[in-house]
């Protein structure tokens, strides 16, 4: 493996940011830690989402389904299997579901995919509720562990770092190159020998696995898991908004959206609980009409304009 | 038999909602994910008219349909047309319209939650027994079904036997060619979008006569309508009606034979079968 | 030449609903041969090419590459077996540079190179088609002929057993045309097997060993270029339809 000096610099900067973020629980154990766990959760979810939806432009609303399966994997077997194994199971189960959904819809146009994933969390919720009512006597599951908020925070941070490293590795791989070609022209992609459907399905499975792991990590936070909270469709929508708000062209783009929007949603749900839907609606509309390429897109545009003006000025001086 | 009749009665309203969506997607090329909110709005207005002014939901349609038409026309004209104009290709418009209608979905839902709260609503309208083939059904369901059939027939006559309706179908088939034969595509698209909204709102008003509704149930109906539209083939009127029948019966069968909590699972099973075997719809033909 | 054909098309048919675009067409292409596929507009040439490259699946009939059936396979499978193509309306990958465009052909196709190997091949091919020094140029800003050259380099990058050129010479001005024709001629002398769909008759006369003529979806003539073009049915098919 040969890294360019540019890549090494970015890697070091990323490591420094991650290390700095890791020290946060040392300063506060209360409100700030709790909101930081939320931010870290959405950071992991949004980057994992962007792994797939960034290059393909397919809008996935399956996040809640994968996340819920992750929490359920932990809830069901926490008394029987060691926790790390459960995280692995969560990844496997979510990836399998992603594979099935992908196989059914990713050969078709984007609309079918959105519609399918739109109802997916609700479908899984119905099935889980039904199975619980039929085969067990209780409606929920208790998850008792000795894990604290700090532990969860650190695990989510590690997960986010893992998503970044995976994203970087994919970009350097055949799969990443294939996605670039597909993003340019799917017809050409097929005719140079790319199995476009397979490439998309694989990527969706990787993304789904990470989201499932995020669910597994979050499970101890809830203590009591029941279908409506585990498969809360709001998670899917929030992830889409935050990722698009930040911008999905780069893997770090979503982070720009995650931090402010998690804080905004925290304030809104605490003070104006009846207005959450309206805020989400307005956020969607704002993204479509004002910042279609996300905040990072705006910054890049401004920079390109500035550079163009600089060169123009330079040329004028030369002339 | 009872399942079949209940399913068919239910499918009448489903068909109206799906016809609304298929007009919007097939003609105006906007996948309107806020369609279910139009439906819920129809429910609430019908309820409000009935509770406050004692206007029967059937007569209420005369108010609801034009209002929904105007509202949806405005949405298309001011919110969606700019997206159509800026889109460089079909894929971009698809993503933009999905996100924009998501925004509308939450906005409308939030406004309705603010005005009506999250509780379930229902009212008593024609809650009498109506005996059909030896079993009793709610008269309200039968009346809603009959009204849906009348509206769907009127739509059919309009689309297939009037000049304006032919223009709408032409735009659905091929906007570029329609433009060449001097059809104002932009106006027709706006008209179809508005008409679609009116149909959906009528479906909502009829649904409210026999169904408990609340402000946040729109998404589920959007899902059902979308699946019906895809099953029937985008823009296909006959297909949508047939698909609505299939879905209504399948849902009723699963709800009464297996578990009422699994209706969405039934819908999805149908959806997956369609996607795997006939992604172009029941009557659809593979395009060249 | 008695060697087994590289490509054999056996009674291929393609229907779109009621319209038959290609009807019962058969022909063979031998190793190292340059076959011209010609005919008036709408005669089904591009559809035929799409059947071979897997963009469309034939309704009936069989197409075999090196004796193995490829008809009905997905386009990417056919590409990996060694069929590459250019497109009637040039298709470059705008967000990649020239090098990346050509590498796309090398990485996923018949040869599946990766890393430095693919990069080196891309540079050799860019030089080969006359784009030396433009490896990192933005392709969207390239001239039409340069984009066509780039597409050709991408198609060659997989080292295809069969190369399909869909009106590759169309839209070039006379001096560019001369360059284009000599480029294809060089490929032929390297021993490439090529099918070219073309309207430029000069090119067909200069380049092709044989040609197949299609009209209204059926093959109306096949053979040496000179005698085929003087065939009375071929002349009838062209007159009034297309005066190329």
């Amino acid at each position: 493996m040969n890294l360019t000096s540019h890549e090494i610099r970015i890697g070091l900067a990323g490591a420094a940011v991650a290390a700095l973020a890791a020290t946060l629980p040392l300063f506060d154990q209360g409100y700030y830690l709790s909101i930081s766990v939320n931010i870290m959760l959405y950071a992991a979810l949004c980057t994992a989402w962007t792994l797939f939806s960034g290059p393909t432009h397919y809008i996935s609303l399956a996040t809640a389904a994968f996340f819920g399966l992750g929490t359920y994997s932990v809830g069901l077997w926490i008394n029987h299997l060691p926790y790390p194994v459960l995280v692995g199971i969560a990844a496997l189960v979510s990836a399998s579901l992603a594979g099935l959904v992908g196989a059914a819809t990713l050969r078709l146009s984007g609309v079918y995919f959105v519609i399918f994933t739109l109802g997916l969390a609700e479908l899984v919720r119905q099935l889980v509720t039904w199975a619980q009512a039929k085969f067990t006597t209780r409606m929920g599951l208790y998850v008792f562990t000795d894990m604290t908020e700090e532990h969860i925070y650190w695990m989510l941070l590690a997960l986010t770092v893992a998503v970044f490293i995976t994203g970087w590795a994919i970009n350097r791989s055949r799969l990443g190159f294939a996605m670039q070609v597909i993003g340019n022209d799917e017809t050409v992609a097929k005719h140079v020998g790319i199995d476009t459907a397979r490439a998309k399905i694989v990527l969706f499975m990787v993304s789904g696995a990470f989201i499932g792991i995020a669910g597994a990590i979050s499970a101890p936070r809830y203590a009591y898991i029941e279908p409506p909270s585990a498969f809360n469709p709001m998670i899917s929508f929030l992830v889409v908004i935050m990722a698009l708000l930040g911008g999905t062209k780069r893997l770090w783009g979503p982070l720009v959206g995650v931090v402010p929007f998690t804080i905004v949603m925290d304030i809104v749900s605490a003070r104006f609980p009846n207005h959450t839907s309206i805020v989400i609606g307005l956020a969607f509309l704002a993204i479509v009409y004002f910042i279609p390429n996300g905040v990072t897109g705006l910054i890049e545009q401004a920079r390109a304009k500035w550079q163009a003006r600089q060169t123009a000025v330079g040329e004028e001086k030369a002339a | 038999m009872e399942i079949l009749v209940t399913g068919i009665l239910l499918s009448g309203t489903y068909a109206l909602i799906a016809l609304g969506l298929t007009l919007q997607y097939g003609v105006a090329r906007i996948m309107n994910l806020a369609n279910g909110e139009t439906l819920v709005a129809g429910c609430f207005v019908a309820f409000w008219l009935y509770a406050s002014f004692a206007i029967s939901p059937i007569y209420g349609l005369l108010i609801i349909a034009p209002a929904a038409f105007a509202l949806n026309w405005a949405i298309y004209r001011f919110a969606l047309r700019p997206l159509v104009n800026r889109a460089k290709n079909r894929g971009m418009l698809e993503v933009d319209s999905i996100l924009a209608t998501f925004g509308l979905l939450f906005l409308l839902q939030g406004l309705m939650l603010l005005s009506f709260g999250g509780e379930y609503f229902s009212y008593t309208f024609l809650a009498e027994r109506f005996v059909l083939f030896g079993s009793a059904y709610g008269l309200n369901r039968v009346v809603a079904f009959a009204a849906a059939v009348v509206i769907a027939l009127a739509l059919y006559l309009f689309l297939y036997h009037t000049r304006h309706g032919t223009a709408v179908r032409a735009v659905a088939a091929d906007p570029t060619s329609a433009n060449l034969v001097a059809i104002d595509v932009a106006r027709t698209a706006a008209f179809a979008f508005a008409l679609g909204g009116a149909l959906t709102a009528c479906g909502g008003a009829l649904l409210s006569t026999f169904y408990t509704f609340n402000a946040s149930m729109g998404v589920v109906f959007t899902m059902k309508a979308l699946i019906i539209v895809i099953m029937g083939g985008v823009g296909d009127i006959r297909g949508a009606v047939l698909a609505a029948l299939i879905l209504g019966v399948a849902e009723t069968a699963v709800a009464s034979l297996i578990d009422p909590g699994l209706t969405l699972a039934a819908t999805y099973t149908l959806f997956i079968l369609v996607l795997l075997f006939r992604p172009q719809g029941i009557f659809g033909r593979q395009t060249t | 030449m008695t060697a087994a054909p590289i490509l054999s098309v056996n009674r291929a048919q393609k229907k779109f609903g009621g319209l038959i675009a290609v009807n019962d067409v058969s022909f063979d292409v031998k190793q190292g041969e340059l076959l011209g596929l010609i005919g008036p507009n709408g005669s089904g040439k591009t559809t035929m090419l799409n059947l071979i490259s897997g963009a469309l699946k034939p309704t009936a009939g069989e197409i075999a590459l090196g004796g193995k059936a490829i008809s009905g396979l997905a386009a990417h499978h056919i590409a990996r077996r060694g069929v590459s193509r250019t497109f009637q309306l040039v298709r470059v990958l705008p967000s990649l540079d020239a090098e990346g465009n050509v590498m796309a052909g090398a990485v996923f196709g018949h040869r599946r190179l990766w890393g430095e190997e693919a990069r080196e091949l891309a540079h050799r091919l860019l030089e080969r088609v006359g784009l030396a020094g433009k490896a990192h140029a933005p392709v969207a800003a390239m001239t039409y002929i340069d984009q066509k050259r780039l597409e050709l380099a991408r198609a060659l990058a997989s080292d295809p057993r069969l190369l399909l050129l869909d009106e590759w010479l169309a839209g070039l001005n006379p001096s560019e045309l001369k360059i284009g024709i000599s480029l294809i001629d060089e490929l032929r002398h390297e021993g490439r097997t090529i099918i070219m769909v073309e309207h430029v008759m000069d090119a067909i006369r200069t380049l092709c060993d044989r040609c197949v003529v299609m009209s209204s979806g059926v093959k109306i003539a096949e053979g040496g270029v000179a005698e085929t073009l003087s065939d009375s049915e071929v002349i009838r098919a062209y007159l009034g339809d297309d005066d190329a």
Side-chain angles (χ1 to χ4, degrees), chain B residues 2-288:
Chain B
E2 219 179 307
I3 293 170
L4 199 65
V5 176
T6 314
I8 291 173
L9 290 180
L10 182 63
S11 68
T13 10
Y14 280 2
L16 274 194
I17 302 161
L19 286 176
L21 190 69
T22 208
L23 272 180
Q24 294 185 331
Y25 186 52
V27 184
R29 315 276 152 161
I30 297 284
M31 180 48 90
N32 181 13
L33 296 171
N35 188 52
E37 272 50 50
T38 311
L39 167 103
V40 177
C43 289
F44 276 114
V45 175
F47 169 74
W48 176 64
L49 289 174
Y50 187 67
S52 309
F53 306 100
I55 295 174
S56 139
I58 303 298
Y59 295 117
L61 292 180
L62 298 176
I63 301 170
I64 291 169
F69 186 93
L71 179 71
N72 277 274
W73 184 85
I75 288 177
Y76 183 82
R77 183 66 194 76
F78 298 109
L80 301 173
R81 177 81 63 73
L83 298 181
V84 176
N85 291 340
R86 97 174 174 200
K88 290 195 194 86
N89 54 47
R90 185 88 194 261
M92 261 183 77
L93 177 60
E94 220 155 58
V95 172
D96 276 350
S97 62
I98 284 170
L99 293 177
T101 53
F102 265 143
L104 288 173
L105 184 170
F106 281 105
L107 193 62
L108 293 173
Q109 192 190 81
L111 292 175
M112 286 189 286
L113 274 172
L114 272 188
S115 358
F116 297 97
E119 302 89 50
Y120 280 90
F121 285 78
S122 68
Y123 57 95
T124 327
F125 172 71
L126 295 179
E128 294 150 38
R129 281 158 47 90
F130 185 84
V131 179
L132 207 63
F133 306 111
S135 314
Y137 303 93
L139 180 60
N140 44 17
R141 283 176 187 256
V142 179
V143 170
F145 177 76
V149 170
V150 171
I151 295 172
L153 271 178
L155 177 74
Y156 179 83
L157 289 176
F158 165 72
L159 286 178
Y160 285 83
H161 295 281
T162 67
R163 225 178 129 77
H164 210 106
T166 309
V168 171
R169 286 190 296 129
V171 174
D174 186 343
T176 326
S177 314
N179 195 21
L180 290 177
V181 293
I183 293 171
D184 186 340
V185 174
R187 264 187 65 179
T188 311
F191 171 78
F193 192 88
L195 185 64
L199 283 171
T200 304
C202 289
L206 294 176
L207 187 75
S208 72
T209 61
F210 62 88
Y211 198 93
T212 347
F213 53 94
N214 80 347
S216 48
M217 72 167 193
V219 184
V220 179
F221 279 88
T222 309
M223 280 293 310
K224 289 180 185 174
L226 289 171
I227 290 170
I228 292 171
V229 167
I230 292 170
M231 265 171 80
V234 172
D236 186 332
I237 304 294
R238 292 170 310 157
V241 171
L242 181 64
L245 272 175
I246 296 175
L247 190 74
V249 172
E251 255 186 18
T252 315
V254 169
S256 50
L257 297 179
I258 306 174
D259 189 307
L262 285 181
T263 48
L264 192 71
T267 316
Y268 254 74
T269 313
L270 279 174
F271 191 21
I272 294 173
L273 289 176
V274 169
L275 286 182
L276 290 180
F277 299 109
R278 288 202 72 78
Q280 70 275 30
I282 300 174
F283 295 120
R285 208 189 258 164
Q286 237 160 347
T287 46
T288 57

Side-chain angles (χ1 to χ4, degrees), chain A residues 2-319:
Chain A
N2 42 1
L3 303 174
T4 62
S5 62
H6 180 65
E7 280 174 317
I8 292 172
R9 250 183 291 145
I10 289 183
L12 288 177
V17 171
L20 202 65
T23 62
L24 195 135
L26 305 178
F27 300 112
D28 185 272
Q29 310 271 313
Y31 172 74
Y32 289 102
L33 177 62
S34 144
I35 192 156
S36 302
V37 174
N38 273 340
I39 289 177
M40 210 34 95
L41 171 62
Y42 280 104
L45 292 177
C46 291
T47 35
W49 184 87
T50 306
L51 216 51
F52 169 74
S53 294
T56 58
H57 302 296
Y58 281 96
I59 297 167
S60 162
L61 292 169
T63 312
F66 300 143
F67 185 85
L69 282 178
T71 44
Y72 253 83
S73 307
V74 172
L76 276 177
W77 294 300
I78 187 75
N79 298 324
H80 310 285
L81 292 167
Y83 186 69
V85 176
L86 296 179
V87 174
I89 292 179
L92 272 180
V93 172
S94 301
S96 318
L97 180 65
L100 290 176
V101 173
T105 56
L106 284 176
R107 287 162 210 282
L108 306 164
S109 95
V111 173
Y112 295 86
F113 179 76
V114 182
I115 296 164
F116 200 94
T117 57
L118 169 63
L120 191 66
E122 179 63 17
L123 169 71
V124 178
R125 189 189 65 78
Q126 277 198 358
L127 289 175
V128 169
T129 312
W130 176 76
Q132 269 189 331
K134 185 139 189 164
F135 302 111
T136 65
T137 45
R138 352 160 256 188
M139 273 321 291
L141 296 163
Y142 288 96
V143 180
F144 292 126
T145 60
D146 43 17
M147 267 178 262
T148 62
E149 288 267 283
E150 287 116 293
H151 293 134
I152 293 171
Y153 175 81
W154 281 320
M155 282 194 284
L156 287 170
L157 176 63
L159 180 65
T160 311
V161 171
V163 176
F164 269 97
I165 294 173
T166 310
W168 168 80
I170 287 176
N171 270 338
R172 287 171 58 100
S173 71
R174 266 206 163 84
L175 178 60
F177 189 40
M179 291 318 301
Q180 263 190 305
V181 178
I182 294 173
N184 267 282
D185 189 328
E186 195 153 344
T187 309
V188 170
K190 284 178 185 157
H191 284 283
V192 296
I194 298 172
D195 188 339
T196 53
R198 207 191 68 130
K200 290 183 211 163
I201 293 171
V202 168
L203 206 58
F204 190 46
M205 288 174 75
V206 172
S207 158
F210 279 120
I211 295 170
I213 294 176
I217 294 175
S218 307
R221 244 190 135 189
Y222 297 124
Y224 183 69
I225 301 173
E226 47 183 352
S229 60
F231 297 98
N232 179 5
M234 211 44 109
I235 298 176
S236 308
F237 289 107
L238 287 177
V239 164
V240 174
I241 291 177
M242 291 179 194
L244 294 178
L245 193 64
T248 57
K249 251 189 164 166
R250 308 253 181 280
L251 207 49
W252 53 267
L255 297 184
V256 179
V258 166
V259 178
F261 206 77
T262 312
I263 296 172
V264 167
M265 283 314 286
D266 192 70
I267 296 170
V268 169
S269 59
R271 298 207 190 143
F272 314 100
N274 295 328
H275 294 69
T276 32
S277 294
I278 295 181
V279 172
I280 290 177
L282 291 176
F284 266 118
L285 294 173
I287 289 170
V288 178
Y289 293 101
F290 303 113
I291 33 175
N293 296 317
V295 174
T296 50
L298 280 185
I299 295 171
E300 264 175 42
Q301 256 176 356
R303 212 172 55 182
K305 249 189 206 162
W306 187 76
Q307 273 172 352
R309 203 187 306 157
Q310 286 303 99
T311 47
V313 168
E315 273 164 17
E316 242 167 63
K317 273 182 189 163

